[in-house]
Amino acid sequence: MRKIQFFDTTLRDGEQTPGVNFNTKEKIQIALQLEKWGVDVIEAGFPIASPGDFEAVQNIARQVKTMTVTGLARCQKKDIDRAYEALKDAVDPQIHVFLATSDVHMQYKLKMTRDEVLASIKEHVSYARSLFEKVQFSPEDASRTEKGFLLEAVQTAIDAGATIINVPDTVGYSNPTEYGGIFKSLIANIRSEREITFSSHCHDDLGMATANALAAIENGANRVEGAINGIGERAGNTALEEVALALAIRKDFYQCESAIVLNETKRTSELVSRLSGIPVPKNKAIVGDNAYAHESGIHQDGVLKNPETYEIITPTLVGVNQNSLPLGKLSGRHAFNAKLEELGYQLNDADSKEAFKRFKALADKKKQITDKDLVALLADQYREETEKYKLADVQVQYSSNGYQGAIVSIIDEEDETKVASRIGSGSIQAIYNTIDELFQQDPELTEYEIQALTGGEDAQAEVRVTLLDKETNEEYRGIGVDFDVLQASAKAYVQASNHLKQKN
Ligand code: KIV
Ligand code: ZN
């Protein structure tokens, strides 16, 4: 059977989701979980984009053992050099060079002629090849590129040393018949003495990203790019978990296999959702909470008689409901560490000690500590470690007859405590006005969502906020989890404010 390589770009294209900012520790956690999930290639970032991106790519390159690690580079020597520096310690480094080839991109964005684009591909892919054994080239906006010129661009990259050709449907414009046809035609017409791997990279603007990726596979692509939960620029990327399950469940049809460890799927999805702040819709294929719930009586009756009547995927296949026992007050260090490992966390000693301390504090207040509680606890710990401004205290004065007042203190990067006090029409508004004063900011709160993290009357509250920086129009997200709704709201707002401050 043909093996399909999984290329995960959650940390690069996925991080281009508005409001998503992973810090280095979060990126490493996700990378290690992706390795456990069986990913072949991880795109760890865009090293020239920022010192933070460089540091994350370098750290991931040094820590992962089985995955190929790649970084993105434009057709510019400085990008390729920076990617080389970040990736050189990886067990198996690869560079991903791209340049747009569609008329609209060349004319308006690049202001380059076709000949100039071909010359740039030749020069920069050759240069990348002088530093890397494995070079992947992407003709950006390939699906809107004139077919003859696309072949010319791809042939130029292959002649210059690229052995992996990625064909991006950059704006999610294509459909399965057309996108599959592009692969068929390129594979039939390129000339190469070396084996060339073709790869799909689809966006979901018309809701066809997964279908397009599968069409590429049907037409000869041996690599599929995408992101967990389908996060990414605009409507997102191909959701890799959907492709993994489609290939597994319909092996009879696709006749392909992959190295994906299916029962790590749900865990991987939850980790990315928690750290990105992007919730998984309940009806999302494969990983949504309702994906294995049967509501109608007729369906329930059928499933009880034989699950195959309405269930093509068993929940345990993707790691849902594996009778995972919740922890409690009496659980010891050993059970705690085993649970963290089961959830995909690989913590160093200091982090695991701190996490255990937090777990014990939580277990004093909550009877059963579920997987969701633990994932939230770990996310809180990472957030606090990396936040420059930490929430120290929140006090609210409530009156049923008028304005509410809040006093909030934060600890700044110089370890100094700052206190402020403001009023608001409600308690949350009073807290947010106070935090704005402390951060000296005036963003717009565009989203505020609250839900119970788990079932049960001792459930923690989870608050998600999105702040819009009115000057740059950029969004920043934050999540806060706490027993108290006001504290959770303050945590979420402080996290989003930290992201906003760091970017400005
Ligand atoms: O969508 C796209 O074209 C990309 C490229 C950089 C591969 O993400
Ligand atoms: Zn993309």
Side-chain angles (χ1 to χ4, degrees), residues 175-189:
N175 61 56
T177 308
E178 181 187 71
Y179 193 60
I182 297 174
F183 281 82
K184 197 172 194 168
S185 153
L186 285 177
I187 293 169
N189 289 301

Side-chain angles (χ1 to χ4, degrees), residues 304-315:
L304 286 173
K305 287 178 174 146
N306 180 347
E308 278 183 27
T309 49
Y310 287 103
E311 223 170 63
I312 59 160
I313 311 166
T314 60

Side-chain angles (χ1 to χ4, degrees), residues 283-487:
N283 64 338
K284 162 88 180 59
I286 318 298
V287 289
D289 280 351
N290 289 352
Y292 307 95
H294 302 279
E295 172 71 18
S296 102
I298 296 174
H299 285 213
Q300 287 173 351
D301 182 53
V303 171
L304 286 173
K305 287 178 174 146
N306 180 347
E308 278 183 27
T309 49
Y310 287 103
E311 223 170 63
I312 59 160
I313 311 166
T314 60
T316 45
L317 183 68
V318 294
V320 172
N321 284 343
Q322 289 185 302
N323 290 330
S324 163
L325 293 173
L327 298 175
K329 201 172 167 165
L330 300 177
S331 305
R333 188 78 194 253
H334 187 71
F336 177 73
N337 284 343
K339 172 64 85 179
L340 287 191
E341 207 165 296
E342 183 194 315
L343 289 174
Y345 289 95
Q346 294 161 33
L347 305 189
N348 62 32
D349 274 357
D351 285 352
S352 126
K353 238 181 177 165
E354 171 64 24
F356 187 64
K357 209 171 88 196
R358 287 168 184 251
F359 158 70
K360 281 289 178 190
L362 183 62
D364 269 345
K365 295 189 198 159
K366 193 170 188 288
K367 222 164 140 200
Q368 292 200 323
I369 310 291
T370 65
D371 293 359
K372 279 193 174 168
D373 288 312
L374 279 181
V375 174
L377 178 146
L378 264 293
D380 240 29
Q381 182 174 329
Y382 289 129
R383 180 180 53 74
E384 277 174 31
E385 273 173 32
T386 48
E387 268 176 10
K388 291 201 167 146
Y389 298 80
K390 298 180 199 316
L391 181 66
D393 191 42
V394 182
Q395 290 179 48
V396 176
Q397 188 171 21
Y398 176 74
S399 150
S400 61
N401 213 354
Y403 285 105
Q404 319 307 328
I407 305 173
V408 179
S409 54
I410 55 169
I411 301 172
D412 71 9
E413 35 191 348
E414 268 97 47
D415 235 16
E416 275 182 31
T417 304
K418 288 192 171 145
V419 188
S421 161
R422 285 286 175 278
I423 55 165
S425 310
S427 303
I428 290 170
Q429 196 189 45
I431 293 171
Y432 287 0
N433 288 344
T434 315
I435 297 173
D436 282 344
E437 170 67 20
L438 288 165
F439 277 83
Q440 294 287 296
Q441 62 185 14
D442 182 26
E444 188 182 325
L445 176 68
T446 53
E447 267 177 278
Y448 175 91
E449 270 176 45
I450 181 162
Q451 60 175 11
L453 184 63
T454 56
E457 57 191 33
D458 63 351
Q460 299 191 82
E462 178 185 73
V463 173
R464 292 172 188 256
V465 300
T466 305
L467 303 189
L468 179 78
D469 182 340
K470 290 180 217 154
E471 276 160 37
T472 61
N473 228 16
E474 300 247 4
E475 289 185 331
Y476 299 90
R477 289 172 194 270
I479 307 182
V481 174
D482 202 276
F483 283 102
D484 187 275
V485 170
L486 298 182
Q487 181 74 13

